[in-house]
Amino acid sequence: MIKKAKPKAKIDKKAGDALSIEIAGLKLRNPVMTASGTFGYGSEFAPYTNLEKIGAIIVKGLSLMARQGNPSPRIVETPCGMLNAIGLQNVGVENFIRDKLLFLRMLKTPVIANIFGETVDDYCEAAKRLEAAGGVAGLEINISCPNVKKGGILFGTDPHEAHKVVKAVRDAVKLPVITKLSPNVTDIRVMVMAVEDAGTDAITLINTIPGLVVDVERRRPVLANVIGGLSGPAIRPIAVRMVWEAKSVAKVPLIGSGGIISANDALEFILAGASAVQVGTANFLDPDAAVKTAAGIADYCKRHRTTVKALVGAMKTGQ
Amino acid sequence: MIKKAKPKAKIDKKAGDALSIEIAGLKLRNPVMTASGTFGYGSEFAPYTNLEKIGAIIVKGLSLMARQGNPSPRIVETPCGMLNAIGLQNVGVENFIRDKLLFLRMLKTPVIANIFGETVDDYCEAAKRLEAAGGVAGLEINISCPNVKKGGILFGTDPHEAHKVVKAVRDAVKLPVITKLSPNVTDIRVMVMAVEDAGTDAITLINTIPGLVVDVERRRPVLANVIGGLSGPAIRPIAVRMVWEAKSVAKVPLIGSGGIISANDALEFILAGASAVQVGTANFLDPDAAVKTAAGIADYCKRHRTTVKALVGAMKTGQ
Amino acid sequence: MQSSQSTIVYNKKIADNYFKMRLSWSALEVRPGQFVMLRVSDGLDPLLRRPFGIFNVICAKRGTGFSFKRPTGVEILYHVVGKGTAILSSKKPGERINVLGPLGNGFPEPEDARNVIMVAGGVGLAPMLPLAQRLKAGVLLFGARHKADTKIIAGFSGLGCRIRFATDDGSRGFKGFVTGLLADEIKPDSVIYACGPAPMLKAVALMAHRAGIRCFVSLESAMACGIGVCLGCAVKAAPLQAGYEAGVFRMVCSDGPVFDSMDIDWDTL
Amino acid sequence: MQSSQSTIVYNKKIADNYFKMRLSWSALEVRPGQFVMLRVSDGLDPLLRRPFGIFNVICAKRGTGFSFKRPTGVEILYHVVGKGTAILSSKKPGERINVLGPLGNGFPEPEDARNVIMVAGGVGLAPMLPLAQRLKAGVLLFGARHKADTKIIAGFSGLGCRIRFATDDGSRGFKGFVTGLLADEIKPDSVIYACGPAPMLKAVALMAHRAGIRCFVSLESAMACGIGVCLGCAVKAAPLQAGYEAGVFRMVCSDGPVFDSMDIDWDTL
Ligand SMILES: Cc1cc2nc3c(=O)[nH]c(=O)nc-3n(C[C@H](O)[C@H](O)[C@H](O)COP(=O)(O)OP(=O)(O)OC[C@H]3O[C@@H](n4cnc5c(N)ncnc54)[C@H](O)[C@@H]3O)c2cc1C
Ligand SMILES: Cc1cc2nc3c(=O)[nH]c(=O)nc-3n(C[C@H](O)[C@H](O)[C@H](O)COP(=O)(O)OP(=O)(O)OC[C@H]3O[C@@H](n4cnc5c(N)ncnc54)[C@H](O)[C@@H]3O)c2cc1C
Ligand SMILES: Cc1cc2nc3c(=O)[nH]c(=O)nc-3n(C[C@H](O)[C@H](O)[C@H](O)COP(=O)(O)O)c2cc1C
Ligand SMILES: Cc1cc2nc3c(=O)[nH]c(=O)nc-3n(C[C@H](O)[C@H](O)[C@H](O)COP(=O)(O)O)c2cc1C
Ligand code: FES
Ligand code: FES
């Protein structure tokens, strides 16, 4: 990390330090990350955006073994959003290390590996191998993917299961550990306290919300998996509310995710209590969305003579 | 009820019986109701639509005593949706009976009173007085309004509390009782089983989803109440999914609500398992939305040579 | 009072970020101060209708009395401030727009038009044109940011009411707030009709109160339905006045948008 | 390969529900069979880009070889089927649209253009024009619902390839599916390039397989990103062929849209 932090620090100087923020020991040049599963393995976006201007790149969710994912159709558009049921298709940790990490290591931008598994051991083994490989700045544990019938969902909605997997991964590696929560719970604060107690260094919220779209003419679900995860601007008010609720109990930094299309959207999350944000579905509308969002936050900070650090949770309620 | 049912039966004959459906002993000429809080007390829409072509009118949520509601701003637009924090402002049961019911009694369309309270007794007392007044065909118990800090939310997210209030109302009156559930729970099926066990005759889902919009320039929530309930097309995929999940355990009829703008949307809910639907926010875009939705369902039934009864839960999954 | 598809006759830019749109439209009767709600897009984003004051009413024959009978068209004057008004400004003649209205109570008819003082701030000028057309007397005090914005006054000339200007930078008329013009216009039997930003209305209401004259204000609020059912556009009523219950919420769309300034709890605005 | 704001040069209706749109656009190189993704609205509904095959490439000088170099414009041929294409059809010249592309692999260059059989169904004709322009030989079998739809063929005449029609109602050319024309065109060394509805492609692939000739198909699938990252546009690969692993998913946007018909698991389409 130190080796990485130095050059970044320089960039921060140039850009002015208004945007830089440290999360779970990760020094970020700006608070805008790319959300897992919406930015591939980074290299795919090289022709379209400046990867060095992104706060951090979170790669597609990785499992110990490669996964083929769900049959098609896997995606469908919804009002101001989309459902996806990719089924966590991915190349697997080993192929990622062999084929994808080389390119990512050349970037100054910190790379965060998003991991998932069907057992606690899967999570830990994946985490260890990624740490051993080097070049990964941190881990994001996905306990919340709603697409896969087995695994995921259980960890994400039961505080005890969540605690178990996060603690195990936390004990297995030295890398910063971010836990990504599912919104599909009655009280997000319970989950926040559980994963904090398990030793997570930061918390990302929210992942997608389970949804269903019916093809009325064919009288079948549009998605082969029936249920998919809802993402995009449609869910933003729900995500901002959950960040605000989480902030009321959280001791570790929060990372906001859900429907961020613009700097204004990102600032809603930051003011509600997020120290950083993730741009997801917006990458599909504009492959330069993350960089534009960061630039917009810089403008806001200049206009208001403030810094991102000062804006975190700065929303005032009451008269 | 019998007295009311007869003339309706006639209308059904004329319109062809493809649309008629019976829910909780209520014979509806078509499955399209107007959602509580989005259709006032009915009379406001008389200049804009034909109230006799609506399946059922559900009036604004009523409490025992009149309520003033929350300070402004109470609403804000969101991507393909809106947040509301009205705070359940209403004229109270007595004023409703005195001032509003006269007009509603003249309609052949069944009128359902949506009720809420802060204690089990409030619910029961409101229910009894409405039954005694006559002219109300059924009750919809709102245990799920997310706008009011006290009351509502607790009943709606705790299966035991929900069971308590529903059973009490069920025992207090003979009128058909519909329970309206909150989506803000980890597993909607648990709530469904709880209120069924308490004796509800039907279940409406979903109510609004708690959300937050931040005014980034003022660094304050847009709504005076901070949190509001998200409604509109944005939440439709979530609502359809919950109806489908509920259907897997429900024995009583389900009523779908959430983002219905068109007949196609309504049919998604019906195919997923709803016996009827409610049009809410769409009434603001087009005061004739409910009638147009019913007409569109009629076209679909004609085109597919089928009936609403046959379509309920007719979605096929698997290859 | 209806919801109908209308056709755009024209949609002209008349000042920076100010547009005037004419729509073919029929209604039974329109009172000055009423408004319409437009569906700016058939899509779902933006989702809600947008409220706009009725700026001009096209009638076969001008008619008499305080209201306009059987109009065949309507004009709105709008300021581009966000997504919906931006979409509106891109509309071309011939395109269709759904119009809900006329809505709201409108201005009450004054006993003597000559005693009327109209106070408008920015786009708050819109509902004043039908009023001026009906009164054919009185004075209009118009406040704007600078000279360029005062172009939207065209249409008021020759209606028989005096017009005085106030601009923030003094580029036209009085330099300062429009309330600076109000003091020397107020007479014992004056009646004020005001529309504009809340702070302006607050100041005007206070001056009227001090002078002991009546003042009617046209308020704005975020709206969803426009017909009194969503209860989203609430404003708090002042302690018992004109039979209103203290602290009760009034709906801008159906109880207003025009209120007696004494009936509003100004501390909550 | 870029994301850029382009300007609409024209947007013409060329048949019922069929439109041709020209955009000012620059790129390094375009291969026949590639596609672009358009942002049909700046708003959030519809949210996702829409994929369209590259129908025509505007180049300063025609150039030689299989690909088109440094185009200054691009044309798409689109069929109005839903919300996004309806919005597209309402766009006027001068309006701006964001274009992502060129995307996808495109058609492989044939050894001998004269052996090429192009098979197109409906709007599947779009990617065939650049191919025909490059091949200047072979035969095009075009299937449509009825005569009216075959108007979209204009632009193929004089390119040096024979054109044969099939319509469902026989109103132009052969009565029936386009595959009815294919049988007597197939020779031992024929190569098929096909684009159209999945059932048509399935039938064509089967005939090619039986005849033991190569067949390349351009597939469609719902898409979100167009660049291989969302993994939304998956199609299942056939048991081991051309080095593909059995049962593995291929991405239509980045591995395709053109695939060797032997590499696709047709039972899953
Ligand atoms: C009864 C009534 C009459 C009106 N008459 C006119 C008129 O004649 N001409 C005119 O130009 N405008 C008028 N308005 C204001 C107009 O409705 C808003 O400017 C418009 O809805 C903004 O829509 P938007 O999508 O462009 O802005 P949004 O993107 O919705 O919001 C942009 C900015 O405008 C503010 N805003 C949004 N809605 C309102 C609202 N209802 N009132 C005040 N500010 C708002 C937002 O807070 C935000 O700061 C009237 C409002 C009301 C309630
Ligand atoms: C690589 C590729 C190239 C294409 N080239 C062309 C072309 O050159 N010209 C053309 O007119 N169309 C083309 N299409 C299809 C085109 O993308 C869709 O018709 C379009 O996205 C529909 O958008 P919509 O909003 O109008 O329809 P929607 O409202 O999104 O859907 C309306 C109907 O179209 C169907 N549909 C939606 N998306 C697709 C899709 N991606 N493929 C097939 N059906 C779809 C839906 O299932 C629905 O039945 C291509 C598709 C792909 C994947
Ligand atoms: C196509 C797609 C694939 C995704 N894959 C993953 C994944 O592999 N792991 C994960 O934790 N989240 C995944 N997500 C969730 C996103 O990372 C993000 O949390 C969610 O989409 C909400 O943010 P957004 O509305 O900005 O997209 C995926 C989302 C989409 C749309
Ligand atoms: C302005 C507003 C007021 C509402 N008031 C009530 C209410 O009083 N009682 C209730 O049970 N639901 C209330 N609801 C929820 C609606 O009845 C409906 O369940 C919800 O809006 C989802 O449906 P929709 O997306 O079609 O609007 C209200 C919704 C809105 C938008
Ligand atoms: S806008 Fe709905 S009550 Fe006024
Ligand atoms: S469309 Fe995203 S991977 Fe093909």
Side-chain angles (χ1 to χ4, degrees):
Chain A
M1 276 321 301
I2 309 304
K3 232 177 94 292
K4 265 183 161 226
K6 277 211 190 70
K8 261 203 284 70
K10 249 198 244 82
I11 293 175
D12 288 338
K13 289 280 173 303
K14 273 209 244 68
D17 226 37
L19 292 198
S20 73
I21 189 126
E22 184 166 335
I23 291 180
L26 291 170
K27 291 210 179 62
L28 309 181
R29 68 170 67 93
N30 69 57
V32 184
M33 310 176 169
T34 54
S36 178
T38 68
F39 210 68
Y41 299 104
S43 54
E44 299 91 333
F45 281 80
Y48 304 109
T49 190
N50 183 344
L51 298 172
E52 296 292 4
K53 290 191 168 174
I54 294 169
I57 293 171
I58 306 182
V59 298
K60 173 67 181 168
L62 294 163
S63 49
L64 201 49
M65 300 300 154
R67 284 178 60 112
Q68 295 189 359
N70 293 330
S72 273
R74 290 175 167 190
I75 56 170
V76 60
E77 191 175 57
T78 69
C80 291
M82 66 178 281
L83 291 186
N84 88 82
I86 306 305
L88 292 171
Q89 172 180 344
N90 78 100
V91 299
V93 166
E94 291 308 332
N95 292 327
F96 168 75
I97 293 170
R98 197 184 62 244
D99 307 336
K100 313 288 183 183
L101 209 46
L102 287 117
F103 171 85
L104 292 169
R105 278 207 197 88
M106 298 187 306
L107 301 174
K108 298 200 199 68
T109 304
V111 173
I112 296 169
N114 176 284
I115 60 168
F116 70 95
E118 282 156 24
T119 67
V120 171
D121 295 349
D122 286 355
Y123 276 96
C124 293
E125 188 55 31
K128 284 189 204 143
R129 295 199 194 178
L130 286 161
E131 179 168 64
V136 171
L139 299 174
E140 182 179 59
I141 315 179
N142 174 15
I143 61 170
S144 50
C145 181
N147 297 344
V148 183
K149 285 173 215 76
K150 39 189 185 152
I153 199 69
L154 290 171
F155 289 112
T157 53
D158 178 330
H160 305 97
E161 288 301 308
H163 187 281
K164 214 180 294 171
V165 66
V166 172
K167 179 146 190 8
V169 173
R170 174 63 294 172
D171 295 345
V173 296
K174 287 177 194 48
L175 282 175
V177 169
I178 301 163
T179 306
K180 185 170 185 180
L181 295 181
S182 165
N184 205 30
V185 295
T186 306
D187 187 348
I188 197 73
R189 291 165 300 192
V190 175
M191 300 303 296
V192 167
M193 291 184 282
V195 298
E196 269 190 351
D197 185 73
T200 194
D201 302 302
I203 297 171
T204 299
L205 59 180
I206 62 177
N207 206 318
T208 56
I209 304 174
L212 167 60
V213 173
V214 182
D215 181 331
V216 164
E217 289 305 315
R218 291 173 54 247
R219 297 186 201 169
R220 300 181 61 82
V222 170
L223 300 180
N225 189 59
V226 184
I227 302 289
L230 182 62
S231 67
I235 68 170
R236 192 195 312 136
I238 301 171
V240 173
R241 183 258 306 176
M242 285 194 160
V243 165
W244 185 69
E245 286 176 346
K247 187 67 178 173
S248 67
V249 297
K251 292 178 223 65
V252 302
L254 304 177
I255 303 168
S257 167
I260 297 174
I261 298 284
S262 69
N264 186 85
D265 305 341
L267 287 160
E268 281 198 60
F269 280 91
I270 291 169
L271 289 165
S275 301
V277 297
Q278 296 179 6
V279 171
T281 300
N283 296 312
F284 306 152
L285 316 187
D286 178 1
D288 196 34
V291 172
K292 286 194 180 112
T293 300
I297 295 173
D299 294 344
Y300 180 93
C301 288
K302 203 168 292 164
R303 199 151 49 76
H304 290 260
R305 291 203 181 63
T306 183
T307 66
V308 167
K309 287 186 203 70
L311 291 172
V312 175
M315 179 180 81
K316 298 251 170 309
T317 60
Q319 299 322 306
Chain B
M1 279 319 301
I2 310 305
K3 233 178 93 290
K4 268 184 154 234
K6 276 210 188 71
K8 264 204 281 68
K10 249 197 243 82
I11 291 175
D12 287 339
K13 288 281 170 306
K14 272 206 245 72
D17 227 38
L19 293 198
S20 72
I21 189 124
E22 184 166 334
I23 290 179
L26 292 171
K27 289 210 181 62
L28 309 181
R29 69 171 68 92
N30 70 56
V32 184
M33 309 174 168
T34 55
S36 178
T38 67
F39 210 67
Y41 299 105
S43 53
E44 299 91 334
F45 280 81
Y48 304 108
T49 189
N50 183 345
L51 298 171
E52 296 292 3
K53 289 191 169 171
I54 295 169
I57 293 171
I58 305 182
V59 298
K60 173 66 182 171
L62 295 164
S63 48
L64 202 49
M65 299 300 151
R67 284 178 61 112
Q68 296 188 1
N70 293 331
S72 273
R74 291 175 166 189
I75 56 171
V76 60
E77 192 176 57
T78 68
C80 290
M82 67 179 279
L83 291 186
N84 87 83
I86 306 306
L88 292 171
Q89 173 181 345
N90 77 102
V91 297
V93 167
E94 291 307 331
N95 292 327
F96 169 75
I97 292 169
R98 199 184 61 243
D99 307 337
K100 313 288 181 183
L101 209 46
L102 287 120
F103 172 85
L104 293 169
R105 277 207 197 91
M106 298 186 309
L107 301 174
K108 296 201 199 70
T109 304
V111 173
I112 295 169
N114 178 283
I115 60 169
F116 69 96
E118 281 157 25
T119 67
V120 172
D121 294 348
D122 286 355
Y123 276 97
C124 293
E125 189 53 33
K128 284 188 206 145
R129 295 199 194 178
L130 286 161
E131 180 169 62
V136 171
L139 299 174
E140 182 179 60
I141 316 179
N142 175 14
I143 60 169
S144 48
C145 182
N147 295 343
V148 183
K149 286 175 215 76
K150 39 190 185 152
I153 198 71
L154 291 170
F155 289 112
T157 54
D158 179 330
H160 305 98
E161 287 302 306
H163 187 281
K164 214 180 295 172
V165 66
V166 172
K167 180 144 189 7
V169 173
R170 174 66 291 172
D171 295 346
V173 296
K174 286 178 195 50
L175 282 175
V177 169
I178 300 163
T179 307
K180 187 171 182 180
L181 296 181
S182 164
N184 205 29
V185 295
T186 306
D187 186 349
I188 197 72
R189 290 166 301 193
V190 175
M191 299 303 298
V192 167
M193 291 185 282
V195 297
E196 268 190 351
D197 184 73
T200 194
D201 302 303
I203 297 171
T204 298
L205 62 182
I206 60 176
N207 207 319
T208 56
I209 304 174
L212 168 60
V213 174
V214 182
D215 181 331
V216 164
E217 290 304 317
R218 292 173 53 247
R219 297 187 201 168
R220 299 182 62 81
V222 170
L223 300 180
N225 188 59
V226 185
I227 301 289
L230 182 62
S231 67
I235 68 170
R236 192 194 313 136
I238 300 171
V240 173
R241 185 258 306 175
M242 286 195 158
V243 165
W244 184 70
E245 285 176 346
K247 188 65 176 174
S248 66
V249 297
K251 290 177 226 65
V252 301
L254 304 177
I255 303 168
S257 167
I260 296 175
I261 299 284
S262 69
N264 186 85
D265 305 340
L267 287 159
E268 281 196 61
F269 281 90
I270 292 168
L271 289 165
S275 300
V277 297
Q278 296 178 7
V279 171
T281 301
N283 296 313
F284 306 153
L285 316 188
D286 178 2
D288 197 33
V291 172
K292 286 196 182 111
T293 300
I297 296 173
D299 293 345
Y300 179 94
C301 288
K302 203 168 293 166
R303 198 153 47 78
H304 289 261
R305 291 206 179 64
T306 183
T307 67
V308 167
K309 287 186 202 73
L311 291 172
V312 174
M315 178 180 82
K316 297 250 170 311
T317 61
Q319 298 325 307
Chain C
M1 203 153 74
Q2 59 178 6
S3 161
S4 60
Q5 283 296 111
S6 301
T7 307
I8 298 174
V9 179
Y10 60 68
N11 188 23
K12 293 184 198 151
K13 182 171 188 172
I14 60 171
D16 290 5
N17 291 316
Y18 283 95
F19 287 74
K20 189 168 85 168
M21 176 183 280
R22 177 180 291 197
L23 294 159
S24 68
W25 180 70
S26 68
L28 280 177
E29 181 179 8
V30 175
R31 286 190 303 286
Q34 289 191 294
F35 66 100
V36 292
M37 288 192 79
L38 303 185
R39 189 93 196 270
V40 298
S41 131
D42 297 337
L44 299 177
D45 176 58
L47 185 68
L48 300 174
R49 289 173 180 268
R50 300 294 194 252
F52 297 97
I54 292 174
F55 178 57
N56 198 9
V57 185
I58 291 58
C59 287
K61 45 181 181 47
R62 242 12 196 139
T64 59
F66 191 63
S67 69
F68 301 83
K69 304 280 188 309
R70 307 208 156 282
T72 57
V74 63
E75 282 177 14
I76 63 163
L77 169 71
Y78 63 97
H79 189 205
V80 177
V81 297
K83 195 193 282 175
T85 44
I87 291 173
L88 213 53
S89 68
S90 71
K91 300 260 181 201
K92 312 252 176 309
E95 288 186 55
R96 317 262 294 156
I97 283 191
N98 190 283
V99 180
L100 180 67
L103 304 169
N105 55 359
F107 294 110
E109 182 164 8
E111 273 153 29
D112 184 339
R114 288 163 303 182
N115 299 337
V116 170
I117 306 173
M118 293 173 271
V119 185
V123 79
L125 183 70
M128 294 302 170
L129 184 59
L131 183 62
Q133 289 170 338
R134 275 309 172 228
L135 298 178
K136 302 191 182 64
V139 60
L140 167 65
L141 312 180
F142 176 46
R145 273 172 298 127
H146 44 70
K147 194 165 184 290
D149 294 352
T150 63
K151 283 186 204 150
I152 64 178
I153 199 74
F156 282 82
S157 50
L159 289 180
C161 66
R162 272 186 305 125
I163 304 177
R164 295 180 61 190
F165 296 92
T167 49
D168 299 358
D169 57 3
S171 51
R172 184 170 185 183
F174 175 78
K175 182 178 193 306
F177 292 136
V178 67
T179 42
L181 296 172
L182 186 53
D184 52 303
E185 290 288 347
I186 293 181
K187 318 236 171 332
D189 50 8
S190 297
V191 185
I192 298 177
Y193 292 79
C195 184
M200 179 200 103
L201 296 178
K202 220 164 168 167
V204 171
L206 187 65
M207 291 174 72
H209 182 61
R210 294 229 178 89
I213 61 172
R214 291 202 83 178
C215 173
F216 297 95
V217 294
S218 180
L219 300 180
E220 283 194 8
S221 161
M223 292 187 171
C225 73
I227 58 175
V229 299
C230 77
L231 307 182
C233 63
V235 286
K236 226 180 179 78
L240 203 62
Q241 293 283 354
Y244 287 175
E245 194 186 324
V248 156
F249 286 103
R250 315 297 306 171
M251 295 304 137
V252 171
C253 69
S254 49
D255 299 320
V258 178
F259 295 90
D260 184 320
S261 66
M262 301 292 280
D263 297 336
I264 300 299
D265 178 351
W266 289 101
D267 302 338
T268 61
L269 278 180
Chain D
M1 201 154 73
Q2 60 179 4
S3 160
S4 61
Q5 283 296 112
S6 301
T7 306
I8 298 175
V9 179
Y10 59 68
N11 187 23
K12 293 183 199 155
K13 183 172 189 172
I14 60 170
D16 290 5
N17 292 316
Y18 283 95
F19 288 74
K20 190 169 84 169
M21 177 183 279
R22 178 181 289 197
L23 295 159
S24 69
W25 180 70
S26 69
L28 279 178
E29 180 178 8
V30 175
R31 287 191 303 285
Q34 288 191 294
F35 67 100
V36 292
M37 287 192 80
L38 303 185
R39 188 92 197 271
V40 297
S41 133
D42 298 337
L44 299 177
D45 175 55
L47 184 69
L48 301 174
R49 289 174 180 266
R50 299 293 193 254
F52 297 97
I54 292 175
F55 178 57
N56 197 10
V57 185
I58 292 48
C59 286
K61 47 182 178 48
R62 258 307 168 216
T64 59
F66 190 63
S67 69
F68 301 84
K69 305 278 188 310
R70 305 206 157 286
T72 58
V74 63
E75 281 177 14
I76 63 163
L77 168 72
Y78 63 97
H79 189 205
V80 176
V81 297
K83 194 193 284 176
T85 45
I87 291 173
L88 212 53
S89 67
S90 71
K91 300 262 183 202
K92 312 252 176 308
E95 289 186 54
R96 318 261 296 156
I97 283 191
N98 189 283
V99 180
L100 181 68
L103 304 168
N105 56 356
F107 294 108
E109 182 163 9
E111 272 153 31
D112 185 339
R114 288 163 305 182
N115 299 337
V116 170
I117 305 173
M118 293 172 270
V119 186
V123 80
L125 184 70
M128 294 302 171
L129 184 59
L131 184 63
Q133 289 170 338
R134 276 310 173 226
L135 298 179
K136 302 189 183 66
V139 59
L140 167 67
L141 312 180
F142 177 45
R145 272 172 300 125
H146 44 71
K147 194 164 184 291
D149 295 351
T150 63
K151 285 188 205 149
I152 64 177
I153 199 75
F156 282 82
S157 51
L159 289 180
C161 66
R162 270 186 307 128
I163 304 176
R164 294 180 62 191
F165 296 91
T167 48
D168 299 357
D169 56 4
S171 51
R172 183 170 186 183
F174 175 78
K175 181 176 193 310
F177 292 135
V178 67
T179 41
L181 295 172
L182 186 53
D184 53 305
E185 289 289 346
I186 293 181
K187 316 233 170 331
D189 49 10
S190 297
V191 184
I192 297 175
Y193 292 78
C195 184
M200 179 201 102
L201 295 178
K202 219 164 171 169
V204 170
L206 187 66
M207 290 175 73
H209 182 61
R210 293 229 179 92
I213 61 172
R214 290 203 85 177
C215 173
F216 298 96
V217 294
S218 180
L219 299 181
E220 282 194 8
S221 160
M223 292 186 171
C225 73
I227 59 175
V229 299
C230 77
L231 307 183
C233 62
V235 287
K236 225 181 181 78
L240 202 62
Q241 295 281 354
Y244 288 174
E245 191 186 324
V248 156
F249 286 102
R250 316 297 304 169
M251 295 305 137
V252 171
C253 70
S254 49
D255 299 320
V258 178
F259 295 89
D260 184 321
S261 66
M262 300 292 280
D263 298 335
I264 301 301
D265 179 351
W266 291 100
D267 301 340
T268 62
L269 279 179

